[in-house]
Amino acid sequence: MKLNQIGDNPGARKNRMRIGRGIGSGMGKTGGRGGKGQTARSGVRIKGFEGGQMPLHRRLPKRGFRNTPFAVKLNETNLGKLQAAIDAGRIDAKAPIDVAAMVKGGLMGRAKGGVKLLGTGEIKAKVDLAVWRASKSAIEAVEKAGGTVKILAPSKEADDEPRGKNKRAAIAAAKGGDKGGKAKPAKADAAAAKPEGEA
């Protein structure tokens, strides 16, 4: 074999697309740059801009509730990573393991709102874990190995009394009225109840 016989794999090198070489090429006329003016420049953000009138995303009403600002941001770690840290000596399996021990052992950078334990991998050590949440498979694997899992997140309990629209629907049902139903006219009932001789 000689140097001039060495070649790359077939299809590894492709010819550059030649732009601006006629409309038959598919990249003619403006050459992929669109129109003139503002839209032909880079760094322009006009998506949703409607020429100065109030754009659609601001005309529509805002409804509903988003839990984004109040959501608990959790770290996620698997049983396999936890077992690897224990085997490497970064985490002591005999002591209770919480988020601080996991951060110290290098499983995550910072504590955030807590840890969610997932069941990927295998746990061999007998450990006592205190985590914010844990998957069902992770809890079963830890308990099978002789350990325990303490869930720190508050349990979700169903409300004894309905709230919001459910409460209004319950009140309407208790009164015997259907929501949105048509009420019978009171005048017609009063006229029907009068004797024929009375005006």
Side-chain angles (χ1 to χ4, degrees):
M1 180 179 287
K2 298 180 181 179
L3 288 175
N4 63 346
Q5 295 174 340
I6 298 175
D8 213 331
N9 295 328
R13 290 175 178 268
K14 297 180 180 179
N15 295 328
R16 180 180 66 87
M17 176 174 279
R18 302 174 71 221
I19 63 172
R21 293 298 184 271
I23 59 174
S25 67
M27 287 292 282
K29 196 181 176 232
T30 52
R33 293 179 181 270
K36 299 180 180 180
Q38 188 180 22
T39 57
R41 272 75 177 160
S42 63
V44 178
R45 299 181 63 184
I46 58 173
K47 291 181 180 179
F49 182 68
E50 299 182 15
Q53 77 174 13
M54 191 62 67
L56 181 66
H57 70 277
R58 293 187 63 188
R59 290 200 301 268
L60 297 177
K62 296 178 178 64
R63 294 190 61 189
F65 171 75
R66 291 185 300 172
N67 196 44
T68 308
F70 313 104
V72 179
K73 296 177 176 62
L74 300 175
N75 293 296
E76 293 181 353
T77 188
N78 288 292
L79 293 176
K81 290 185 178 180
L82 180 63
Q83 183 63 49
I86 293 171
D87 294 340
R90 299 196 306 268
I91 294 178
D92 185 10
K94 296 179 181 179
I97 300 173
D98 56 1
V99 63
M102 293 182 187
V103 170
K104 188 176 180 181
L107 289 180
M108 56 206 63
R110 54 195 178 92
K112 292 185 180 178
V115 180
K116 182 174 182 179
L117 187 66
L118 303 177
T120 304
E122 186 180 0
I123 186 78
K124 300 176 182 177
K126 181 182 177 181
V127 291
D128 295 327
L129 295 166
V131 293
W132 186 258
R133 292 194 186 282
S135 65
K136 187 177 179 181
S137 60
I139 295 173
E140 290 176 355
V142 172
E143 291 178 349
K144 187 177 179 181
T148 59
V149 179
K150 182 181 179 182
I151 304 299
L152 302 177
S155 59
K156 295 181 180 179
E157 297 180 358
D159 294 332
D160 296 334
E161 296 183 2
R163 297 181 179 181
K165 61 181 181 181
N166 296 329
K167 183 176 182 180
R168 293 193 293 270
I171 293 172
K175 290 181 178 179
D178 294 330
K179 189 176 180 181
K182 293 182 179 179
K184 295 181 180 179
K187 292 183 179 179
D189 295 342
K194 286 183 178 181
E196 295 180 359
E198 295 183 6

